[in-house]
Amino acid sequence: MPDGFETGHDGGTAVVVGVDGSETSLRAAAYAVGVCRRQGSRLVVVYAREPGGGIAQLMDTTGSSSAAALRLQDEVERMLRQSQTLAEAEGIRSELQVRTGDPYQVLSAVAREVRADCVVVGSSASIGHRIAGSLAVRLVRNARWPVTVVP
């Protein structure tokens, strides 16, 4: 089957939403739940854990910053697992994909694997993203799926 060939189907198949625990990503998840409920789609929640290492780890001689970051990531993952249970109680088929890596790369890989109909992300509140470009901007410019950015 050619790479660009679209298999016909009625209704939605999968909505991928990127969640990192921020307020805007949680709003994006709520939006994606609504889309899935209306379209009968499967919800695929993606959490991209930050990879360890780099300059920050070299500067953290006590390991306290790295340990705090890991605890925060573990807490976000626990919260997402609880939310998955709530979505399933609402009758929405859902799954949680937790991977380590760059959020853009992780979201793109999962969307490709599940043959996503769309990708939903929250807008970035970081000033640095205005200079370097946010995840949402990267997805809109480079992705092969419709992208919804939730404020």
Side-chain angles (χ1 to χ4, degrees), residues 3-76:
D3 187 39
F5 183 80
E6 179 178 327
T7 306
H9 62 274
D10 287 336
T13 56
V15 173
V16 172
V17 60
V19 181
D20 63 3
S22 67
E23 187 176 330
T24 58
S25 75
L26 296 176
R27 282 197 298 264
Y31 176 84
V33 165
V35 169
C36 289
R37 184 181 313 119
R38 288 186 296 279
Q39 295 182 351
S41 299
R42 175 173 55 125
L43 176 65
V44 181
V45 178
V46 179
Y47 177 47
R49 292 180 71 114
E50 294 293 322
I55 292 177
Q57 188 174 15
L58 293 174
M59 295 174 64
D60 183 18
T61 57
T62 64
S64 60
S65 294
S66 297
L70 284 174
R71 280 193 302 275
L72 179 63
Q73 289 180 4
D74 289 343
E75 183 58 34
V76 170

Side-chain angles (χ1 to χ4, degrees), residues 103-118:
Y104 170 76
Q105 297 294 332
V106 169
L107 275 170
S108 296
V110 171
R112 241 186 333 273
E113 291 167 16
V114 301
R115 298 178 148 251
D117 289 325
C118 69

Side-chain angles (χ1 to χ4, degrees), residues 104 121 129 132-143 147 149:
Y104 170 76
V121 293
H129 286 164
S134 69
L135 171 63
V137 169
R138 289 174 69 192
L139 283 168
V140 168
R141 285 186 180 158
N142 302 314
V147 177
V149 182

Side-chain angles (χ1 to χ4, degrees), residues 87-108:
E88 289 173 353
E90 292 287 322
I92 298 168
R93 296 172 295 141
S94 68
E95 67 180 85
L96 173 62
Q97 294 269 341
V98 179
R99 300 187 184 179
T100 301
D102 171 61
Y104 170 76
Q105 297 294 332
V106 169
L107 275 170
S108 296

